[in-house]
């Protein structure tokens, strides 16, 4: 046993640099894998725990009193066993927030606001958790509670003053506290609940035209049985629920999407890195056995058993793995905390953060990685059993390998043709022979270059596509117009006057007006199938007075509606209802039944493709005076006029409408996505770059040691150290460039296809990407440069060593 321990210690001491590099590779693999598992599991767990802690609603109902009596709805649900309800909370809607003394912020100016008439806490459903400020039962007069999703994103704190446009006046009010509001607290907020004092609510809204709307949340003891309650509702009321309803899936989707996407990428790349680590360890052990074949034969001849020889390698890598896995596990805790915090920051409160716990899954992942390393070591170290002492001492290899080598040399001498390498430049021949003689190392370098290039290119393509979302906005389910006008004060704004001004402005090509109504679609029962209850779908329907084609809305198949009998539906609506182009759907719009033909199917991430598009004429069949269109979409003839048009319209309608560019609105929504992606993708890119340099350095160093006598002969024949090093570098660069090209194609086409499978649940069938090939080529070149750096650094041993010593070795 002491002999095995002495050999293990000698191996550790003799190859300090190489063993350190292997340990670093194991550490990085541990960091990436454990981090990915922690991110995926904790994203869901943290959201679920916070939802449970606040008694979060599973469904949110918004009632305007025109379709259903809010009090009747509230009383009906209060009587249902197994369902907890929030109070019936009155609210009015406004558009946009401004901050006195600050530059206007597009994201704040275009928020859709629910101004809540706050009832006294605590709430049975959707309790508010205070993140900043003084906790109280209701907001004090002259103050509001602001949701954390808005406050954190736009750096608003208690004590700041906000302004809202209400009719002919502006409401200036102070932020008293920042609260976690689960149904409206997800990242990428486009709407928010502003919690007001009751006296302030009455004073500011009693004279404004319109009636109160109401909001109530439902929390089921068993959410899977929610359809049973809605079936009972339809039986007792004689009609489906026709109001607005937001499901738990819709409320939770944007809490989870970013970290699920990041976690999926990290798991995929972590597994890739783990296999690189295992392959590297296997290659190192195999090479060590071949390089020391004669020494192993002598040791076995002296009486050391094969089992003890295997134990030498097992002991060596147990030490390296233990030293690497433990700090990797600890580092992953901090890294996963940073990633989860960046995506779920809106859940942070003054008493609790969102730091994820490692738990047994993270520990199991680390132990599994350790077990795989030991199995890999055992498998490759087992080759030492086949070393025969007499053959090893006589040939320095097995007799079979010696015979094969002799036959190759005989064939080479008998061949009169120099072959392709014989006609190539000398330095190229040296570099390529270095790769051909070490094929396993060359294959590992090729695979590593492919993976690094794929990681870097994927990260670049994702970040570039999201940061330039204006170019692909129709493929995400948005418009592609130039200017967006959001009406903030309908009592003052005159649409007819605006249209006249737009028609007379030579810079404006067209203007379309868009609004939204609530829709309910009932599922068909196939003929011959027993009649069972299928819960209707409640979703938002976009209404346009104009042309969808002009504002850039696209479809995956079919076309946008062009007459009042047509409808275009989101892909998840089509999937759930099993509808295709040309099918008829029964739709209730504001309580009125319509039979509409499906003209198109589209994708949209904004509402997970649970939405539809119709013309304003469809609504006017039952409401001839329908004009509730609060967003204008303007296309310009010349993009150079964009800023001037926005400035002119803002100055003319500043008190009644918010005017901004569509690109600014998209950036306001997706800047959080870019911020969430930058950190993990940068970390993964740096890790793979570091791993590439490490492994190429290690492999090149092994190859140079094996060919040291050959390089000594080259130096005695007149080749300088620089030329020898350049020849080694040239071979590695060509090999890594081949891998970089293959990896870049995988990062552009294959990995996004896999990633798209996650987004399909969020309403995106085809991931919209922008391929900037100059950037893709640049990141592919980074792969080659990293491999070249590792190769050049490892070849310094050639320059430092004299030809005589190299030949003697």
């Amino acid at each position: 046993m002491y002999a095995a321990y002495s050999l293990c210690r000698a191996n550790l001491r003799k190859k300090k640099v190489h063993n350190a590099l292997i340990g670093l590779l194991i550490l990085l693999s541990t960091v990436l894998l454990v981090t990915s598992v922690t991110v995926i599991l904790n994203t869901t767990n943290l959201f679920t725990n916070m939802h449970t802690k606040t008694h979060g609603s599973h469904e949110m109902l918004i009632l305007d009193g025109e379709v259903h009596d809010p009090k009747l709805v509230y009383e009906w649900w209060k009587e249902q066993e197994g369902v907890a309800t929030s109070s019936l909370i009155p609210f009015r809607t406004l558009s946009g927030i401004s901050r006195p003394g600050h530059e206007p912020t597009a994201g704040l100016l275009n928020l859709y606001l629910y101004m809540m008439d706050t009832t006294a806490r605590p709430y049975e459903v959707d309790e508010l958790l205070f993140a900043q400020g003084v906790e109280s039962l209701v907001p004090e007069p002259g103050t509001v509670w602001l949701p954390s999703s808005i406050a954190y994103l736009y750096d608003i704190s208690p004590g700041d003053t906000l302004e809202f446009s209400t009719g002919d006046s502006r409401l200036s009010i102070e932020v008293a506290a920042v609260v976690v509001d689960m149904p409206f607290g997800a990242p990428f907020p486009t709407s928010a609940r502003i919690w007001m004092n009751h006296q302030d609510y009455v004073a500011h809204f009693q004279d404004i035209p319109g009636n109160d709307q109401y909001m109530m949340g439902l929390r089921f003891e068993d959410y899977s049985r929610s359809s049973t309650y809605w079936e009972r509702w339809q039986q007792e009321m004689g009609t489906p629920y026709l109001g607005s309803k937001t499901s738990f899936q819709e409320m939770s989707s944007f809490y989870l999407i970013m970290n699920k996407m990041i976690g999926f990428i990290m798991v995929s790349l972590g597994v890739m890195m783990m296999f690189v680590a295992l392959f590297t360890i296997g290659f190192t052990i195999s090479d060590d056995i071949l390089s020391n074949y004669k020494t192993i034969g002598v040791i076995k001849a002296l009486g050391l058993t094969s089992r003890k020889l295997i134990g030498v390698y097992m002991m060596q890598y147990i030490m390296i793995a233990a030293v690497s896995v433990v700090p990797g596990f600890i580092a992953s805790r901090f890294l996963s905390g940073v990633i989860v915090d960046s995506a779920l920051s809106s859940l942070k409160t003054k008493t609790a953060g969102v730091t994820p716990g490692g738990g047994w899954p993270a520990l199991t992942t680390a132990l599994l990685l350790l077990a795989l390393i030991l199995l890999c070591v055992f498998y490759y170290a087992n080759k030492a059993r086949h070393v025969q002492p007499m053959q090893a001492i006589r040939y320095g290899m097995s007799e079979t390998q010696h015979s094969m080598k002799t036959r190759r040399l005989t064939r080479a001498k008998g061949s009169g043709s120099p072959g392709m390498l014989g006609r190539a430049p000398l330095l190229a021949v040296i570099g390529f022979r270095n790769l051909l003689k070490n094929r396993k190392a060359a294959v590992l370098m090729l695979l590593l270059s492919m993976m690094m290039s794929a990681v870097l290119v994927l990260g670049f393509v994702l970040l570039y596509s999201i940061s330039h979302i204006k170019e692909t906005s129709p493929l995400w389910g948005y418009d592609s117009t130039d200017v967006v006008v959001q009406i903030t004060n309908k009592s003052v704004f005159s649409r007819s006057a605006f249209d006249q001004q737009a028609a007379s402005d030579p810079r404006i090509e067209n203007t379309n007006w868009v609004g939204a109504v609530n829709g309910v679609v009932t599922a068909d029962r196939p003929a011959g199938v027993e009649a069972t209850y299928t819960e209707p779908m409640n979703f938002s329907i976009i209404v346009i007075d104009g042309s969808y084609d002009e504002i850039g809305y696209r479809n995956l198949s079919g076309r946008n509606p062009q007459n009042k009998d047509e409808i275009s539906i989101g892909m998840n609506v089509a999937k759930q209802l099993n509808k295709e182009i040309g099918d008829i759907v029964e739709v209730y719009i504001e309580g009125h039944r319509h039979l509409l033909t499906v003209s198109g199917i589209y994708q949209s991430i904004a509402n997970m493709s649970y939405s539809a598009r119709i013309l304003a004429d469809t609504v006017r069949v039952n409401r001839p005076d329908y004009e509730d269109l609060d967003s204008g979409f303007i296309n310009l003839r010349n993009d150079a006029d964009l800023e001037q048009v926005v400035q002119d319209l803002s100055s003319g309608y500043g008190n009644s409408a918010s005017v901004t560019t569509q690109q600014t609105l998209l950036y306001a929504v997706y800047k959080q996505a870019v911020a969430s992606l930058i950190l993990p993708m940068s970390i993964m890119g740096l890790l793979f770059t570091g791993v590439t340099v490490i492994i190429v350095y290690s492999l090149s160093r092994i190859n140079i040691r094996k060919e040291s006598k050959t390089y000594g002969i080259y130096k005695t024949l007149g080749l300088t150290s620089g030329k020898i090093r350049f020849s080694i570098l040239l071979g590695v660069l060509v090999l890594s460039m081949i891998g970089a090209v293959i990896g870049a194609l995988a990062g552009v086409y294959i990995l996004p296809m896999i990633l798209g499978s996650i987004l399909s649940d969020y309403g995106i069938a085809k991931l919209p990407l922008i391929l900037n090939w100059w950037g893709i080529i640049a990141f592919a070149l980074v792969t080659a440069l990293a491999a070249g750096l590792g190769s050049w650094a490892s070849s310094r041993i050639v320059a430092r060593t004299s030809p005589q010593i190299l030949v003697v070795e």
Side-chain angles (χ1 to χ4, degrees), residues 495-529:
R495 178 184 159 186
S496 59
F498 185 93
D499 286 341
Q500 289 178 5
Q501 178 183 346
S504 62
D505 192 330
R507 299 170 299 180
I508 296 177
E509 184 173 358
N510 55 61
T511 303
N512 292 273
W513 290 93
V514 174
V517 295
N518 181 65
V520 179
V521 178
T522 57
D524 296 331
R525 295 190 181 97
V529 177

Side-chain angles (χ1 to χ4, degrees), residues 274-295:
M274 178 187 71
F275 280 112
V276 168
L278 297 178
F279 194 96
T280 304
I281 291 171
F283 169 81
T284 303
I285 294 174
S286 298
D287 183 79
D288 187 71
I289 292 173
L290 292 175
S291 299
N292 297 286
Y293 208 90
K294 182 175 292 186
T295 304

Side-chain angles (χ1 to χ4, degrees), residues 128-174:
L128 301 176
L129 299 182
F130 282 72
Q132 296 176 4
V134 179
E135 183 172 351
S136 59
L137 298 181
V138 294
E140 296 295 325
T143 67
V144 294
W145 295 339
L146 192 68
S148 56
S149 56
I150 302 299
Y152 295 160
L153 184 59
Y154 296 104
D155 195 23
I156 302 174
S157 304
D160 291 348
T161 300
L162 306 178
E163 283 191 354
F164 307 89
S165 177
T166 58
D168 297 331
S169 62
R170 297 190 68 82
L171 168 61
S172 181
I173 203 161
E174 182 181 322

